[in-house]
């Protein structure tokens, strides 16, 4: 196990908890616009504190990847824009995907079972985060038709499942970027689950043939 892997394993759970704290600090003011200003300032402070921790974590990981830093940065290219671009700050809660690695180390079952668990988890997470991010972008925009969490949740569900009824849609640039990201997530999830099921079916047929032979 490399030094980077040891560090990642050591901080995995604390970063997961911080990501959840960030999610609460980000989502609460969005869902409750009448929130007390003092509490709102406190939640903003929590968000920035978590951001600083993620920056420090990234710097440490790159520093520990001595001799292979360029390769490490390429493999984890998504970390840098999520930290550096202010518009994508809410997406830092995707750090909760570290939970998938924890599940993978302890999960039992075959490929289809794991794909189902990951698919369901990713779908729920995408819908929840997408709803909050979309409401944040749209609720005060002129001409917006996504002005409540119910509207945002309905839009996210129809988008991630690639149904796209069109009765709710973003009117801001930020909202449309979020929509594109959720569309890609939905298509990717369907593709990944379909590929996993197809692989399982092929392996089952091959095993039956081997047993018959």
């Amino acid at each position: 196990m490399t030094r980077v892997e040891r560090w990642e394993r050591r901080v995995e759970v604390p970063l997961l908890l911080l990501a959840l704290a960030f999610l609460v600090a980000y989502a609460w003011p969005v869902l409750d616009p009448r929130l007390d200003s003092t509490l709102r300032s406190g939640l903003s402070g929590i968000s920035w504190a978590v951001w600083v921790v993620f920056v420090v974590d990234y710097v440490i990981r790159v520093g520990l990847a001595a001799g292979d830093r360029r390769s490490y940065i390429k493999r984890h290219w998504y970390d840098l824009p999520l930290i550096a671009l202010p518009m994508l700050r809410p997406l830092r809660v995707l750090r909760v995907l570290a939970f998938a690695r924890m599940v993978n180390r302890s999960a039992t079952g075959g490929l289809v079972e794991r794909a189902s668990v990951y698919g369901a988890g990713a779908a729920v997470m995408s819908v929840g985060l997408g709803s909050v991010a979309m409401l944040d972008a749209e609720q005060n925009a002129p001409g917006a038709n996504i002005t409540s969490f119910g509207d945002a949740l309905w839009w996210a569900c129809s988008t991630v499942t690639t149904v796209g009824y069109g009765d709710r849609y973003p009117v801001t640039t930020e909202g449309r970027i979020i929509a594109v990201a959720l569309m890609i997530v939905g298509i990717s999830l369907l593709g990944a689950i379909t590929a996993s099921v197809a692989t399982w079916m092929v392996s089952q047929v091959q095993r039956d043939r081997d047993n018959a032979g």
Side-chain angles (χ1 to χ4, degrees):
M1 183 181 295
T2 65
R3 292 193 302 168
V4 178
E5 291 172 341
R6 287 197 297 270
W7 169 261
E8 289 178 337
R9 185 177 291 266
R10 189 177 299 119
V11 302
E12 195 170 56
V13 174
L15 287 180
L16 171 62
L17 297 177
L18 285 175
L20 293 176
F22 180 90
L23 174 58
V24 172
Y26 168 69
W28 194 351
V30 176
L31 299 177
D32 186 8
R34 294 172 296 180
L35 195 64
D36 179 74
S37 59
T38 302
L39 181 55
R40 185 182 296 271
S41 298
L43 293 173
S44 177
I46 292 174
S47 298
W48 281 107
V50 173
W51 177 78
V52 170
V53 172
F54 284 146
V55 171
V56 172
D57 169 63
Y58 180 75
V59 172
I60 291 175
R61 285 187 287 122
V62 172
L64 291 175
D68 193 31
R69 289 174 183 169
R70 183 172 298 180
S71 176
Y72 183 85
I73 292 173
K74 286 182 178 180
R75 290 198 309 271
H76 298 80
W77 60 268
Y78 46 83
D79 276 340
L80 188 57
L82 289 179
I83 290 173
L85 298 180
M87 186 176 64
L88 299 181
R89 279 203 305 271
L91 297 185
R92 284 199 304 276
V93 293
L94 292 180
R95 255 301 185 178
V96 297
L97 290 177
F99 183 68
R101 287 183 293 178
M102 298 166 59
V103 173
N104 186 55
R105 289 200 295 268
S106 58
T108 58
L111 177 64
V112 174
E113 289 84 353
R114 290 191 178 189
S116 299
V117 171
Y118 292 156
V124 171
M125 189 183 306
S126 299
V127 168
L129 296 180
S131 300
V132 175
M134 181 59 71
L135 182 61
D136 187 25
E138 294 286 311
Q139 61 183 347
N140 296 317
N145 58 85
I146 302 177
T147 56
S148 69
F149 183 67
D151 292 338
L153 186 61
W154 170 252
W155 167 86
C157 290
S158 62
T159 299
V160 80
T161 55
T162 70
V163 175
Y165 289 108
D167 55 340
R168 293 287 183 268
Y169 53 87
V171 299
T172 65
T173 300
E174 183 179 352
R176 288 168 180 167
I177 292 174
I178 295 169
V180 170
L182 198 56
M183 292 174 197
I184 294 173
V185 168
I187 295 172
S188 300
L189 284 175
L190 290 176
I193 294 175
T194 301
S196 298
V197 173
T199 301
W200 174 79
M201 293 177 66
V202 170
S203 64
Q204 288 293 106
V205 171
Q206 185 63 45
R207 185 166 59 183
D208 291 344
R209 287 180 177 176
D210 292 342
N211 293 335

